[in-house]
């Protein structure tokens, strides 16, 4: 008897040690989980920003140098690729479909929280806005699009050129000025130095570029650094629930995949059994064949009681149309469910294991049974104050 | 392991980010095409703009990407709750954040000074041309306009003289001298500060450093715990949803361990219950998160660290104690 007790003690201590390393493992897992999702999205963000800068440098800007088309070409080069990058950011972001799903689902048993939807929308938009901002700032710093668009609006008087000394009509003047962006076809050197004009317009373009960068940095600063002053508690809530929605969706997909596997396995087994006419009963296997029994019982477990196509269809349909409430039953929680107590194997609700009771039962079975009773979830009713750890300690 | 070390030490992460930002500022300067307008009324404005606007942007970026900013703002703004606020910790966080954020702007300013283009653009008009020979006075332009064109290399009025190069060299000299002096002053101040710091309030400094590090780690751990909790919550919610749909009511009687080998799910289920910490409903989670901000718990973990343990003594039939276990 004493050796058995020592055995249990050894196993218990070993379990305690592995419990600590498990905590470390879970901590690392949590870190990876959290950082993975965010760093994945940040990585996509960064790649798109680099792609936008690279696209600009490899793109051959080709100003038409014709009065009617200069402005539209210049401005569209400034404005249309950012819109394209913004939409591409939405396309590449996985969370967009999650946002749409959460927005459009019927209420079901779970309320919809508009602040969570807003938070998800804002965070997706913020990430998608980086690549367009990079394109706009690179375009403005380079100056070619401004030069193309505004070369005709140059005020010659400011450059010290006499307004009418060149003897050209207004239209011809405009046509000459429109050729400023094109180095090789400019023919108005006697009117205006091309370099001076180009330099002037590029200067203004760069000024706008730096101003643009300053404004967006100030806005980002105000949003991120000053935000804790307002509604920090509400922010924590929305952050948690938006992350929860994402995790829940992944869990659901995982569970469905597992279920499909088990369903397929059992279905095929049944098919073979039907064809062969023999029924291989699980319980007829000998005790040595515990691997098989394990597998079969595992499959049965994974099916989670859903065995028919209609039921599975109902599962998938109701997942969208009638989402469950965010309220977990404690396993073995008698008060909240109407289940029969005996279903869970608990002896009775007022479980009160005193030390004198423990030492009366020394054999394995009883020990195992008592241990299982404690373990199997009447934790909330055993020892009201003390938590799970205390109950595990009394196991031995 | 190296990655773990860097991840665990949030100070070294902040230093790393600071250095990355400085490298970005160097790269930005080298790839930026400096384009002096060479017009008297715009030269100074352009040059001063290029010298001072990017540092402001880099400073704001440095404050943004620093993790300590969030910690600092939260600690500054939170209600008192059960925990007093320590102004020394807030000051420490602020000063360390500022120091790190100021590095990239200083790098930019020093680069512009040492390179000299900004100074030449801004101050070429203030140079007295009579010290230099070869001024092109055949173009009929005013002196100011000629001087304003000095930063522009390709202008044709300077084609045959060395005037432009001489003036540029002169102004660049000044610019580099100012750059090097500023660098020297900062390094000197840094060295003096480092050497003299332990002379003043070292014990208080150790305390504030510990508590500021603690706040950072506490926030990280809270976020991690929330992530793990959300995962377990989601898993249980999904399982519960499936179980609600089951069409056969099977009585799940778990056999004792001796009869049935422990499956993975059981073990996992146990750990999951632990990690949920009893928080199983939406309003409980909401309440938890609200209280975390509004009423932060006090810094006292005696109750959890030293939990009273149940001690069980096994006695034989005569009442003699055989064995005690905690």
């Amino acid at each position: 008897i004493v050796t058995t007790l020592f055995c249990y003690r050894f196993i218990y201590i070993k379990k305690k040690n592995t419990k600590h390393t498990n905590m470390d493992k879970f901590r690392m897992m949590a870190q990876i989980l959290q950082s993975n999702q965010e760093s994945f999205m940040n990585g996509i963000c960064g790649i798109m920003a680099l792609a936008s800068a690279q696209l600009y440098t490899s793109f051959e800007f080709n100003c038409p140098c014709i009065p009617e088309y200069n402005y539209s070409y210049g401005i569209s080069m400034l404005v249309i690729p950012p819109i394209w990058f913004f939409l591409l950011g939405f396309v590449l972001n996985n969370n967009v479909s999650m946002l749409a799903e959460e927005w459009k689902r019927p209420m079901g048993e779970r309320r919809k929280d508009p602040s969570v939807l807003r938070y998800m929308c804002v965070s997706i938009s913020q990430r998608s806005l980086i690549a367009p901002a990079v394109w706009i700032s690179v375009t403005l710093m380079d100056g070619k699009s401004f030069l193309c668009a505004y070369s005709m609006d140059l005020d010659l008087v400011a450059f010290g050129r006499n307004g009418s000394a060149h003897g050209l009509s207004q239209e011809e003047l405009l046509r000459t000025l429109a050729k400023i962006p094109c180095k090789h076809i400019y023919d108005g050197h006697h009117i205006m130095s091309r370099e001076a004009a180009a330099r002037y317009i590029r200067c203004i373009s760069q000024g706008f570029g730096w101003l643009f960068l300053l404004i967006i940095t100030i806005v980002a600063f105000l949003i991120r650094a000053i935000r804790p002053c307002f509604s920090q508690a509400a922010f924590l809530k929305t952050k948690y629930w938006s992350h929860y929605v994402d995790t829940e969706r992944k869990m659901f997909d995982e569970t469905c995949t597992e279920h499909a596997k088990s369903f397929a396995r059992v279905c095929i087994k049944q098919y073979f059994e039907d064809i062969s006419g023999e029924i291989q009963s699980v319980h007829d296997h000998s005790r040595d064949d515990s691997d098989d029994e394990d597998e079969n019982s595992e499959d049965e477990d994974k099916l989670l009681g859903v065995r028919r196509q209609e039921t599975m269809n109902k599962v998938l349909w109701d997942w969208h149309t009638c989402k469950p409430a965010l309220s977990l039953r404690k396993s073995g929680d008698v008060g909240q469910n109407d289940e029969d107590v005996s279903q869970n194997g608990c002896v009775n609700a007022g479980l009160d294991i005193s030390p004198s009771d423990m030492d009366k039962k020394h054999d394995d079975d009883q020990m195992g049974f008592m241990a299982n009773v404690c373990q199997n979830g009447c934790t909330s009713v055993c020892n009201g104050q003390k938590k799970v750890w205390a109950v595990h300690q009394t196991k031995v | 392991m190296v990655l773990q070390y860097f991840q665990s030490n949030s100070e070294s992460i902040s230093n790393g980010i600071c250095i990355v930002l400085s490298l970005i500022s160097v790269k930005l300067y080298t790839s930026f095409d400096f384009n002096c307008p060479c017009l008297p009324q715009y030269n100074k404005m352009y040059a001063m703009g290029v010298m001072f606007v990017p540092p402001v942007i880099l400073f704001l970026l440095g404050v943004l990407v620093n993790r300590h900013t969030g910690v600092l703002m939260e600690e500054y703004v939170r209600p008192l709750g059960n925990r007093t606020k320590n102004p020394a910790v807030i000051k420490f966080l602020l000063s360390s954040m500022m120091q790190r954020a100021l590095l990239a702007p200083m790098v930019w300013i020093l680069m512009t000074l040492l390179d000299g283009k900004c100074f030449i653009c801004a101050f070429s008009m203030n140079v007295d041309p009579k010290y230099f020979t070869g001024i092109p006075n055949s173009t009929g332009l005013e002196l100011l306009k000629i001087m304003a064109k000095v930063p522009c290399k390709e202008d044709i009025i300077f084609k045959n003289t060395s005037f432009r190069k001489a003036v540029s060299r002169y102004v660049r000299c000044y610019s580099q001298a100012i750059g090097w002096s500023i660098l020297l002053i900062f390094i000197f101040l840094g060295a003096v500060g480092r050497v003299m710091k332990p002379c003043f309030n070292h014990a208080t400094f150790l305390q504030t450093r510990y508590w500021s590090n603690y706040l950072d780690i506490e926030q990280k751990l809270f976020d991690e715990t929330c992530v793990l909790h959300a995962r377990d919550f989601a898993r249980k919610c999904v399982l519960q949803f499936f179980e609600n749909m089951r069409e056969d009511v099977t009585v799940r009687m778990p056999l004792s361990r001796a009869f049935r080998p422990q499956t993975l799910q059981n073990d996992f289920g146990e750990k999951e219950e632990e990690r949920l910490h009893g928080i199983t409903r939406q309003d409980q989670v909401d309440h938890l998160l609200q209280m975390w901000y509004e009423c932060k718990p006090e810094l006292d973990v005696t109750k959890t660290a030293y939990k009273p343990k149940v001690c069980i003594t096994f006695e034989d039939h005569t009442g003699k104690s055989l064995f005690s276990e905690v």
Side-chain angles (χ1 to χ4, degrees):
Chain A
I1 291 164
V2 172
T3 43
T4 326
L5 286 171
F6 270 105
C7 254
Y8 269 93
R9 183 187 183 196
F10 177 73
I11 295 169
Y12 169 67
I13 289 176
K14 192 169 169 221
K15 215 178 166 201
K16 199 163 79 161
N17 284 341
T18 51
K19 213 179 228 180
H20 283 307
T21 51
N22 275 345
M23 271 319 286
D24 285 337
K25 258 190 263 175
F26 284 130
R27 233 198 117 208
M28 261 175 62
M29 191 176 86
Q31 269 178 336
I32 292 172
L33 273 181
Q34 189 179 29
S35 58
N36 233 4
Q37 202 194 26
E38 277 194 20
S39 52
F40 179 69
M41 292 315 330
N42 289 343
I44 292 221
C45 219
I47 287 176
M48 277 191 53
L50 287 175
S52 114
Q54 183 60 33
L55 196 67
Y56 182 81
T57 50
S58 54
F59 173 69
E60 213 184 281
F61 193 87
N62 189 36
C63 195
C65 294
I66 298 171
E68 296 85 32
Y69 298 123
N70 266 10
Y71 184 77
S72 19
Y73 186 86
I75 295 300
S76 61
M77 271 303 119
L78 184 64
V79 167
I80 292 182
I83 295 177
W84 185 77
F85 276 113
F86 183 69
L87 294 174
L88 188 67
F90 267 80
V91 164
L92 290 180
N93 200 335
N94 292 337
N95 292 348
V96 169
S97 58
M98 180 178 79
L99 171 66
E101 219 186 279
E102 181 65 18
W103 187 28
K104 275 308 187 182
R105 70 169 171 92
M107 187 100 83
E109 284 171 25
R110 188 188 293 182
R111 300 187 309 271
K112 281 206 254 194
D113 196 353
S115 62
V116 171
L117 289 171
R118 261 201 311 267
Y119 174 80
M120 290 201 287
C121 196
V122 163
S123 85
I124 293 174
S125 308
Q126 273 176 1
R127 291 213 164 82
S128 308
L129 278 171
I130 291 187
V134 167
W135 175 278
I136 290 180
S137 52
V138 170
T139 312
L140 288 174
M141 293 296 180
D142 197 27
K144 285 198 277 238
S145 78
F146 252 54
L147 186 61
C148 192
Y150 293 112
S151 66
M152 296 175 294
D153 299 332
L154 271 179
D155 188 10
L156 289 178
V157 177
F159 280 88
R161 303 283 194 260
N162 204 338
S164 52
H166 45 78
L168 288 172
S169 71
Q170 196 62 17
E171 217 179 273
E172 280 185 15
L173 180 67
L174 228 68
R175 209 169 297 149
T176 315
L177 285 178
K179 292 199 196 137
I180 286 179
C182 304
K183 235 185 289 202
H184 308 290
I185 64 175
Y186 183 62
D187 54 358
H189 296 283
H190 53 285
I191 304 172
M192 158 134 246
S193 155
R194 191 199 152 267
E195 281 81 25
R199 199 177 276 273
Y200 176 70
I201 293 177
R202 279 185 80 200
C203 202
I204 294 181
S205 169
Q206 282 178 349
F208 272 104
W210 284 119
L211 199 65
F212 173 74
L213 275 180
L214 186 67
I215 288 175
I216 59 174
T217 313
I218 287 179
V219 167
F221 176 77
L222 287 176
I223 289 178
R224 288 196 78 161
I226 312 290
R227 200 225 342 104
C229 297
F230 312 98
S231 67
Q232 173 71 352
F235 172 72
L236 283 176
K237 246 189 342 190
T238 49
K239 195 165 78 151
Y240 178 88
W241 287 118
S242 71
H243 180 257
Y244 172 81
V245 167
D246 188 27
T247 312
E248 192 190 46
R249 195 175 70 140
K250 281 196 204 119
M251 286 282 119
F252 186 74
D253 291 339
E254 261 177 44
T255 313
C256 282
T257 315
E258 289 292 318
H259 185 272
K261 258 193 238 169
S262 307
F263 201 105
R265 216 173 277 151
V266 173
C267 196
I268 290 171
K269 197 164 80 75
Q270 275 182 355
Y271 175 71
F272 272 84
E273 280 171 12
D274 286 343
I275 296 276
S276 69
E278 288 173 19
I279 295 178
Q280 298 286 339
S281 169
V282 169
H283 306 293
D284 285 346
H285 281 204
S286 62
R287 229 5 78 70
D288 307 326
D289 218 341
S290 52
D291 284 342
D292 240 2
E293 189 185 303
D294 244 350
E295 212 181 271
N296 287 328
S297 58
E298 236 180 74
D299 274 335
E300 286 287 322
D301 281 340
K302 289 217 180 108
L303 280 180
L304 299 167
V306 178
R307 284 202 175 75
R308 293 207 313 269
Q309 182 183 17
E310 295 87 42
T311 324
M312 192 61 208
N313 281 342
K314 187 169 188 311
V315 163
L316 295 167
W317 185 263
D318 279 358
W319 182 251
H320 179 71
T321 53
C322 185
K323 266 224 165 48
L326 288 162
S327 171
L328 300 178
R329 286 193 305 272
K330 295 191 171 91
S331 57
D333 202 347
V334 175
Q336 285 184 329
N337 300 331
D338 288 333
E339 290 172 64
D340 196 1
V341 176
S342 57
Q343 258 192 357
N344 278 335
C346 279
V347 174
N348 59 34
L351 203 60
D352 205 2
I353 303 174
S354 57
S356 56
D357 279 337
M358 283 293 289
D359 64 33
K360 279 194 200 122
K361 301 160 171 105
H362 283 309
D363 41 316
D364 289 10
D365 268 85
Q366 297 283 27
M367 193 74 87
F369 177 71
M370 289 304 283
N372 224 17
V373 161
C374 271
Q375 169 219 346
N376 213 29
C378 303
T379 55
S380 57
V381 269
C382 292
N383 323 338
Q385 291 270 325
K386 296 205 183 102
K387 300 276 170 72
V388 181
W389 312 279
V391 177
H392 279 179
Q393 280 155 6
T394 58
K395 225 171 18 184
V396 180
Chain B
M1 222 184 80
V2 176
L3 196 66
Q4 249 184 338
Y5 170 76
F6 274 112
Q7 261 187 337
S8 60
N9 199 353
S10 86
E11 272 202 22
S12 49
I13 289 183
S14 306
N15 289 345
I17 290 183
C18 180
I19 291 179
V20 164
L21 214 56
S22 318
L23 291 175
I24 287 178
S25 115
V26 169
K27 176 81 180 133
L28 204 63
Y29 183 79
T30 50
S31 57
F32 175 66
D33 195 5
F34 190 86
N35 186 42
C36 196
C38 295
L39 297 167
Q41 57 271 44
Y42 297 122
N43 267 8
K44 228 180 207 113
M45 195 162 54
Y46 182 84
M48 288 298 118
V50 168
M51 194 147 119
F52 291 118
V53 168
V56 170
I57 293 176
L58 288 167
F59 176 74
L60 291 175
L61 271 180
V63 169
L64 268 181
V65 302
N66 197 342
R67 233 194 96 76
H68 287 170
T69 313
V71 173
L72 167 71
M73 289 309 296
E74 265 194 50
E75 181 65 17
Y76 184 64
V77 166
R78 70 168 171 96
L80 212 56
N82 281 342
R83 190 190 288 184
T84 54
K85 282 205 243 195
N86 191 351
V89 169
I90 294 176
K91 269 189 259 187
F92 177 79
L93 281 173
L94 187 70
S95 77
S96 86
M97 184 190 79
M98 287 286 191
Q99 277 170 15
R100 291 203 171 88
L102 279 172
L103 184 65
M106 289 315 302
V107 166
W108 177 278
I109 291 179
L110 283 172
M111 283 207 67
T112 54
L113 287 172
L114 293 177
D115 193 26
K117 287 196 281 235
C118 269
F119 251 55
I120 296 175
C121 190
F123 297 115
S124 64
M125 295 178 291
N126 301 37
V127 173
D128 196 356
K130 66 174 186 288
Y131 295 119
F132 304 94
T133 58
I135 179 169
N137 48 9
S138 55
T139 48
L141 286 171
E142 303 168 10
L143 186 68
L144 206 65
K145 286 221 173 83
I146 296 176
M147 296 310 286
K149 282 188 193 285
V150 163
C152 298
K153 272 186 254 218
E154 32 327 293
D155 214 311
I156 44 174
I157 62 173
F158 298 117
K159 211 160 251 211
N160 292 327
T161 66
S162 60
F163 177 75
R164 189 196 68 80
K165 281 202 191 126
V167 174
S168 306
R169 202 183 285 274
Y170 176 72
V171 180
R172 181 176 283 150
C173 235
Y174 263 102
S175 161
Q176 285 180 346
I178 293 178
W180 284 117
S181 346
I182 289 182
L183 188 61
L184 187 67
I185 289 175
F186 273 117
I187 291 183
F188 181 72
L189 282 176
V192 163
R194 222 64 216 263
V195 162
M196 303 294 283
K197 192 153 72 161
C199 301
F200 307 95
N201 290 338
H202 191 63
T204 325
F205 166 70
L206 286 177
Q207 282 177 350
T208 48
R209 197 173 65 170
Y210 176 85
W211 287 116
S212 64
N213 205 25
Y214 169 82
L215 285 176
D216 187 22
I217 291 177
E218 190 191 48
Q219 201 194 48
K220 251 193 278 201
L221 278 178
F222 183 74
D223 290 338
E224 270 175 32
T225 313
C226 280
V227 164
L228 280 178
H229 184 271
R231 192 171 161 86
D232 295 326
F233 200 110
R235 178 169 295 166
K236 284 238 135 166
C237 198
V238 169
L239 280 178
Q240 202 171 284
F241 179 73
F242 269 82
E243 278 170 20
N244 280 344
M245 296 284 171
R246 59 172 64 217
E247 71 276 293
D248 51 331
V249 181
T250 48
V251 175
R252 294 181 66 84
M253 292 280 292
L255 303 174
S256 79
R257 273 210 213 134
F259 286 81
R260 187 167 178 230
Q262 191 109 45
T263 62
L264 193 64
Q265 203 177 359
N266 253 2
D267 211 4
F268 204 74
E270 202 177 283
K271 291 197 177 67
E272 262 187 37
E273 287 266 330
E274 254 179 54
R275 284 208 298 272
L276 279 177
H277 301 293
I279 309 286
T280 52
R281 286 202 318 272
Q282 181 178 14
D283 50 336
Q284 284 176 338
V285 173
D286 285 345
H287 183 72
L288 179 132
L289 293 169
Q290 180 104 4
M291 283 299 117
W292 178 254
Y293 175 67
E294 281 183 5
C295 187
K296 269 228 167 45
E298 55 183 10
L299 290 163
D300 185 350
V301 295
T302 329
K303 285 197 291 284
T304 320
Y306 299 106
K307 256 197 313 286
K309 291 193 171 82
V310 175
C311 182
I312 299 178
T313 312
F314 294 97
E315 296 170 348
D316 65 1
H317 56 278
T318 56
K320 194 175 82 167
S321 64
L322 287 171
F323 172 72
S324 263
E325 168 75 355
V326 169

